[in-house]
Amino acid sequence: MRTLGSTILRFDRVASTNDAAKEMAASGAPEGTCVLAGEQTAGRGRLGRSWSSPSGEGLYLSVIVRPAIRAAQSTVLTLAAAVAVGETLELGFQVPADIKWPNDVMASGRKICGILVESAIEGDRLQYAVIGIGVNIAQQAFPDEISRVATSLRIETGRLIAPEEFARPLLEHLAEWYDAAVKEPARLLAKWEALSSYAQGCVVQVESSDWSIEGVTRGLASTGALRVELADGEIREVFSGEVSLRARTVSG
Ligand code: BT5
């Protein structure tokens, strides 16, 4: 299996570990190179949103990968990262985790981790991708805007650990699921569905900037897209980056 994290570049503070990793990837850094920071001054989420990244309180990690997959397949990298974080929480720290498609890992119904995968594309292949993972580790309180939606490992377990203690097992799980994403995507998709209460039979509203649909989730397509059944029985495949998803109630 591949190793991720044999080279880890540590910074006290960066704007965004994803930006630092993208620069390194563009100048040839090999697969598995990681960037880890104690603090981000401009941590990013999707669509220009920000990621709260206070000094010493979270894990801010970006991993460079160079998978032989098609660009249209790149959502599987987000799914692999979410499964790796979910397993680390459950197996390493006994925190029950739930994955909310496409890029949130939840604990007790609150967001404990966000994932931002950014890719450079050449033709229809990926030249490289940067898997950015933010995990709330030591926070006991959050800024007002996210105080009702966020949680941390410390809040969930009562334990205080260093972010690097989470990074080590996370990189091992990520290596396994990254490998599966490339070689056996069906195994990864099945594991993701097993870890997500949103995957099957969940009534959801999916919104993008110019449309909105409501339906029932019907698992993942082979590309990693979420399958949503509309009221008339039509199945829509929803791709990451386009939408946000609001769970309503769970139906059979
Ligand atoms: C994400 O975006 O959840 C992806 C976050 C990725 C962060 C990592 S840290 C390492 C790497 N370097 C970066 O610059 N980024 C990556 P999205 O789904 O768009 O969610 C963003 C939303 O989550 C915000 O608008 C807030 O509502 C909420 N949020 C912000 N900071 C949070 C935090 N620390 N914990 C929980 N929720 C947060």
Side-chain angles (χ1 to χ4, degrees), residues 16-18 40 44-46 49-52 103 111 114 136:
S16 155
T17 56
N18 264 32
Q40 295 186 120
R44 291 187 288 110
R46 295 175 303 154
R49 294 190 283 249
S50 68
W51 183 255
S52 168
N103 70 324
K111 187 159 166 173
N136 299 325

Side-chain angles (χ1 to χ4, degrees), residues 28-95:
E31 170 158 289
T33 306
C34 293
V35 175
L36 193 67
E39 178 183 2
Q40 295 186 120
T41 53
R44 291 187 288 110
R46 295 175 303 154
L47 309 169
R49 294 190 283 249
S50 68
W51 183 255
S52 168
S53 309
S55 175
E57 304 215 320
L59 172 67
Y60 316 116
L61 173 71
S62 296
V63 183
I64 297 171
V65 291
R66 298 182 180 277
I69 61 172
R70 298 230 301 274
Q73 205 66 32
S74 61
T75 303
V76 294
L77 300 175
T78 303
L79 305 181
V83 165
V85 172
E87 276 201 333
T88 307
L89 285 167
E90 294 200 338
L91 303 178
F93 298 92
Q94 290 72 51
V95 172

Side-chain angles (χ1 to χ4, degrees), residues 8-245:
I8 301 182
L9 294 120
R10 293 175 176 78
F11 296 91
D12 289 340
R13 176 197 283 183
V14 292
S16 155
T17 56
N18 264 32
D19 290 345
K22 280 197 287 184
E23 250 176 58
M24 288 172 194
S27 47
E31 170 158 289
T33 306
C34 293
V35 175
L36 193 67
E39 178 183 2
Q40 295 186 120
T41 53
R44 291 187 288 110
R46 295 175 303 154
L47 309 169
R49 294 190 283 249
S50 68
W51 183 255
S52 168
S53 309
S55 175
E57 304 215 320
L59 172 67
Y60 316 116
L61 173 71
S62 296
V63 183
I64 297 171
V65 291
R66 298 182 180 277
I69 61 172
R70 298 230 301 274
Q73 205 66 32
S74 61
T75 303
V76 294
L77 300 175
T78 303
L79 305 181
V83 165
V85 172
E87 276 201 333
T88 307
L89 285 167
E90 294 200 338
L91 303 178
F93 298 92
Q94 290 72 51
V95 172
D98 192 8
I99 306 176
K100 188 173 167 197
W101 189 91
N103 70 324
D104 294 348
V105 184
M106 317 291 286
S108 308
R110 291 173 176 231
K111 187 159 166 173
I112 193 165
C113 162
I115 294 156
L116 178 66
V117 174
E118 296 180 292
S119 314
I121 295 164
E122 220 173 34
D124 72 339
R125 315 294 297 181
L126 284 190
Q127 192 192 353
Y128 64 80
V130 167
I131 303 176
I133 302 174
V135 185
N136 299 325
I137 302 284
Q139 289 95 332
Q140 289 182 289
F142 290 91
D144 285 351
E145 337 59 276
I146 56 170
S147 63
R148 276 192 289 277
V149 295
T151 189
S152 71
L153 192 64
R154 186 174 187 178
I155 292 169
E156 296 303 314
T157 63
R159 282 174 58 195
L160 179 58
I161 64 152
E164 285 227 14
E165 270 183 68
F166 195 91
R168 254 178 277 120
L170 171 60
L171 284 167
E172 281 169 26
H173 291 297
L174 184 61
E176 178 190 346
W177 291 107
Y178 168 57
D179 212 48
V182 177
K183 293 189 199 143
E184 324 166 70
R187 186 165 79 88
L188 167 65
L189 299 185
K191 180 69 182 181
W192 189 97
E193 289 185 3
L195 278 176
S196 174
S197 71
Y198 296 80
Q200 288 281 356
C202 184
V203 179
V204 290
Q205 187 174 350
V206 186
E207 288 171 346
S208 88
S209 51
D210 46 4
W211 54 264
S212 160
I213 58 170
E214 216 175 293
V216 179
T217 57
R218 295 292 180 227
L220 298 174
S222 61
T223 52
L226 183 67
R227 301 172 77 243
V228 178
E229 184 176 343
L230 307 183
D232 63 4
E234 182 198 340
I235 302 272
R236 285 273 182 89
E237 291 190 2
V238 181
F239 289 85
S240 80
E242 293 177 339
V243 293
S244 59
L245 176 147

